[in-house]
Amino acid sequence: MTVVPDVIIGPSPVTGLRESVKAFVADWGRQARIPVEVWALPEGAVPQEAALLAFAVLVDAFSAVEQATYVSMALTAGVTLRLTVCDDGPGLGSHEVIDRRELQARAAALRGRYDIASSAGNGTTVTLELPL
């Protein structure tokens, strides 16, 4: 498990999702010494409940990265918010940073979907999709 910054400031009406994600990813990459490729970040405002869930999923995904040489992520928001985080580590195994059933339930409550695809030796991909 890689290090997660001690102080995590999530999205707020002041910072917004884009800036919160940029700050978290930059800090995580420095501390973990693993390069992070950011493919996309949302330009506009994202509803607060969706932003908070996206940030929680992002933090969980980055917290679970183990023995990876890189991480990539994309976050877009249009009609649907889509977050994808991929790493090339050995896979999740039994690692649980926070109870993922809670994240799945929160996504379902917003009529969305939260998935983890992971297999031994092939890394992990975490995906969140929420209608906006």
Side-chain angles (χ1 to χ4, degrees), residues 80-96:
T80 301
L81 178 142
R82 286 187 178 88
L83 169 65
T84 303
V85 179
C86 303
D87 71 61
D88 69 342
L92 276 179
S94 62
H95 180 71
E96 297 250 351

Side-chain angles (χ1 to χ4, degrees), residues 21 24-25 28 36-37 39 54-55 57-65 70-75 82-88 114-117 123-128:
V21 168
F24 173 80
V25 168
W28 184 92
V36 179
E37 187 168 15
W39 291 93
F55 196 77
V57 169
L58 178 82
V59 170
D60 182 61
F62 274 75
S63 298
V65 172
Y70 79 90
V71 177
S72 66
M73 59 103 20
L75 177 60
R82 286 187 178 88
L83 169 65
T84 303
V85 179
C86 303
D87 71 61
D88 69 342
Y114 169 73
D115 293 309
I116 299 173
T124 301
T125 299
V126 174
T127 306
L128 174 69

Side-chain angles (χ1 to χ4, degrees), residues 4-85:
V4 174
D6 291 334
V7 178
I8 299 173
I9 300 173
S12 73
V14 175
T15 60
L17 182 58
R18 178 186 177 89
E19 293 306 314
S20 295
V21 168
K22 281 173 57 176
F24 173 80
V25 168
D27 193 36
W28 184 92
R30 272 192 305 277
Q31 290 186 33
R33 298 178 190 223
I34 298 173
V36 179
E37 187 168 15
V38 178
W39 291 93
L41 290 172
E43 292 293 333
V46 173
Q48 187 69 8
E49 199 169 359
L52 291 170
L53 178 55
F55 196 77
V57 169
L58 178 82
V59 170
D60 182 61
F62 274 75
S63 298
V65 172
E66 293 184 14
Q67 302 170 4
T69 61
Y70 79 90
V71 177
S72 66
M73 59 103 20
L75 177 60
T76 59
V79 174
T80 301
L81 178 142
R82 286 187 178 88
L83 169 65
T84 303
V85 179

